Amino acid sequence: MSDLASDIRACRLCAERFAATHTEHEPRPVVWFRPSARMLIAGQAPGMRVHQSGKPFDDPSGDRLREWLGLSANEFYDTSRVAIVPMAFCFPGYDAKGSDLPPPRICGRTWHDRVMQELDKVELTVVVGGYAQKYHLGVKTGVTETVKAWRDHAPRLFALPHPSWRNTAWLKKNPWFEDEVLPELRAQVQKVIHD
Ligand code: SF4
């Protein structure tokens, strides 16, 4: 593990913030990258299940994301090839309605630029969800509009909706995503992973 990855793993900047949430949890940064990675999955923040397992996308959202990418679990979790870097490394807790809170901004401000500098071999970036799209693309558009403009960034970057079950209705409403975007994405993933 790099010094930077070790520093993030030891980070407790949000301890008070997390202690004040309904779950009163402690920070547990889920750090999953090595400088050799050629593909970056830029996400939002771990959910409760990933907070407990310590493994990113170790949940039904991850199953759907791996299917979208055309990657086996072994390929997906191979840190020598794939880096998984969320906008916050820790589970942020729940809001009053039981939804995940947004990723704390302090995490992006503290760590993100340094992580991106370390990942200088990345050839393909997959940006999952609105928070990561704002950072990596600098866009102010909504997720649908951003994903729909995929040709503006392909083949080096693809913006995806979050693979959560909450977006199943979105997938039904936007069939162009599975028909047009995913085949191009899978082809690019195979190229970068196996070249
Ligand atoms: S979310 Fe980020 S800044 Fe906050 S404790 Fe975790 S690693 Fe540190």
Side-chain angles (χ1 to χ4, degrees), residues 146-160:
T146 306
V147 176
K148 211 165 192 173
W150 63 278
R151 288 185 182 84
D152 292 352
H153 312 287
R156 288 188 66 85
L157 186 149
F158 286 80
L160 306 184

Side-chain angles (χ1 to χ4, degrees), residues 26-42:
E26 291 184 8
R28 186 187 187 191
V30 179
V31 182
W32 206 272
F33 65 86
R34 280 160 66 183
S36 60
R38 300 177 66 193
M39 176 173 164
L40 165 65
I41 298 171

Side-chain angles (χ1 to χ4, degrees), residues 8 11-15 18 27-29 88-90 104 106-108 110-111:
I8 299 170
C11 178
R12 295 296 179 267
L13 278 174
C14 299
F18 295 160
R28 186 187 187 191
F89 289 98
C90 298
I106 190 173
C107 195
T110 306
W111 299 115

Side-chain angles (χ1 to χ4, degrees), residues 41-61:
I41 298 171
Q44 182 163 311
M48 173 57 101
R49 187 161 153 178
V50 172
H51 172 70
Q52 287 166 340
S53 74
K55 197 171 180 185
F57 288 104
D58 182 26
D59 54 14
S61 293

Side-chain angles (χ1 to χ4, degrees), residues 85-129:
V85 180
M87 291 312 300
F89 289 98
C90 298
F91 168 55
Y94 294 130
D95 65 16
K97 290 182 186 158
S99 298
D100 288 10
L101 287 162
R105 286 190 187 168
I106 190 173
C107 195
R109 283 202 303 269
T110 306
W111 299 115
H112 232 74
D113 289 352
R114 289 168 64 189
V115 175
M116 291 307 116
Q117 277 168 17
E118 190 155 308
L119 294 176
D120 59 358
K121 294 188 176 54
V122 166
E123 295 173 27
L124 170 62
T125 301
V126 176
V127 191
V128 181

